[in-house]
Amino acid sequence: GQSLEQPSEVTAVEGAIVQINCTYQTSGFYGLSWYQQHDGGAPTFLSYNALDGLEETGRFSSFLSRSDSYGYLLLQELQMKDSASYFCAVRGNQGGKLIFGQGTELSVKP
Amino acid sequence: DTGVSQNPRHKITKRGQNVTFRCDPISEHNRLYWYRQTLGQGPEFLTYFQNEAQLEKSRLLSDRFSAERPKGSFSTLEIQRTEQGDSAMYLCASSLAGTGVYEQYFGPGTRLTVT
C-alpha cells in the first residue's frame, strides 16, 4: 500500500521559518507534491519534486530525498495568511490519482 | 478561464435520498478527478476520468456512487440512497495528463450533509 506521515500541527510566529516534514511509503515513487488548503477553501497546488534536492518558489521551498523516502516544505518569512493546512501527496500506483497525507495544520501567531 | 467550478456548493438531504453534483473543469484539462474530504483529513480519491473514459475507481466507492463524464467536459457524481456516513466535502479537480497528475486544480467543493 501507500501511506504518508506528517505532523498534525505546527505553530510558529510571524516572520519565522517553519519546516513541515513528510515521510512516505510507496511501492513505486514518481514524485512528491505539496498543497495548501485554507479553512473552508479548496486545496491549492504549491510545488512538486520528482528529483532529489530543493525546489524554491518565492517564500516556499520543497525538498526531496528519495533514498530516505522523505520530503519537507519550508516556509520562510511567515505571514498570518500562511495559516492553513498543508498536505503532501504521492501518485497512486495506477498513475492516475494522488494519495494525500492527513495534513499539517500550521498556525502563525503574531 | 475561471478555474474549476462545482455546483451546488451546499446540499442538505435526508437519508435515503439521491443527490447529484456537477463539476466543470478547466477547459483544456483532459483529466478530471473526484475526491471526498472529511474534517481533519486529506482528500480521499474516489475516481478519475481521462476525457470521457473512467480509468480508475476507488474500492471505497460503493455501488451507490456513480460518476460520468459524457462528452469529456463536465462530470456528474451521483450518490444513491444517501447515508449519514456520506456527509463530507466532495471535491473535483482537473489537470492535464502525464505529470499533470501532480499539479491538480481543485474546485471549491460541494458540502453534503445527510440528516
Side-chain angles (χ1 to χ4, degrees):
Chain A
Q2 294 166 293
S3 65
L4 301 100
E5 281 195 28
Q6 311 177 228
S8 58
E9 295 178 346
V10 172
T11 301
V13 296
E14 212 172 358
I17 299 172
V18 72
Q19 178 174 311
I20 298 174
N21 299 321
C22 173
T23 57
Y24 57 86
Q25 286 188 321
T26 178
S27 54
F29 179 77
Y30 304 93
L32 187 71
S33 292
W34 288 92
Y35 285 77
Q36 177 192 60
Q37 186 177 30
H38 286 98
D39 204 21
T44 304
F45 172 79
L46 291 177
S47 68
Y48 163 58
N49 294 67
L51 302 175
D52 291 351
L54 193 67
E55 295 278 344
E56 297 182 58
T57 309
R59 294 188 298 115
F60 293 4
S61 303
S62 56
F63 172 82
L64 177 65
S65 169
R66 289 174 296 171
S67 60
D68 295 321
S69 299
Y70 164 74
Y72 66 72
L73 181 69
L74 192 73
L75 297 84
Q76 302 182 73
E77 300 171 18
L78 280 174
Q79 302 176 8
M80 298 296 289
K81 67 178 182 180
D82 297 329
S83 293
S85 292
Y86 292 84
F87 298 92
C88 56
V90 295
R91 200 187 84 175
N93 283 337
Q94 295 185 357
K97 67 191 181 196
L98 286 178
I99 307 296
F100 286 84
Q102 291 199 320
T104 298
E105 186 174 353
L106 171 64
S107 296
V108 180
K109 306 294 186 186
Chain B
D1 197 344
T2 56
V4 179
S5 62
Q6 293 186 245
N7 288 288
R9 296 291 307 276
H10 303 272
K11 179 70 177 178
I12 300 174
T13 191
K14 293 186 177 180
R15 189 176 53 188
Q17 299 293 306
N18 299 343
V19 293
T20 300
F21 310 142
R22 176 178 171 126
C23 171
D24 288 87
I26 293 172
S27 56
E28 60 265 30
H29 286 175
N30 52 1
R31 283 206 174 168
L32 186 149
Y33 313 81
W34 285 99
Y35 293 86
R36 177 171 64 189
Q37 187 176 29
T38 53
L39 196 62
Q41 302 294 315
E44 178 183 43
F45 172 77
L46 294 178
T47 189
Y48 89 94
F49 294 83
Q50 181 157 314
N51 300 314
E52 64 273 13
Q54 187 174 20
L55 296 187
E56 189 176 351
K57 188 174 174 180
S58 169
R59 288 173 293 175
L60 300 170
L61 217 61
S62 75
D63 291 343
R64 297 185 297 106
F65 287 72
S66 62
E68 293 184 340
R69 194 182 182 197
K71 296 182 180 179
S73 57
F74 74 92
S75 175
T76 58
L77 177 69
E78 181 182 17
I79 309 174
Q80 296 183 325
R81 305 181 303 281
T82 52
E83 301 172 356
Q84 287 190 322
D86 298 331
S87 295
M89 177 72 85
Y90 289 83
L91 294 165
C92 175
S94 69
S95 79
L96 297 172
T99 56
V101 66
Y102 298 101
E103 185 174 348
Q104 297 182 16
Y105 293 80
F106 283 81
T110 296
R111 181 169 296 283
L112 173 66
T113 302
V114 181
T115 62

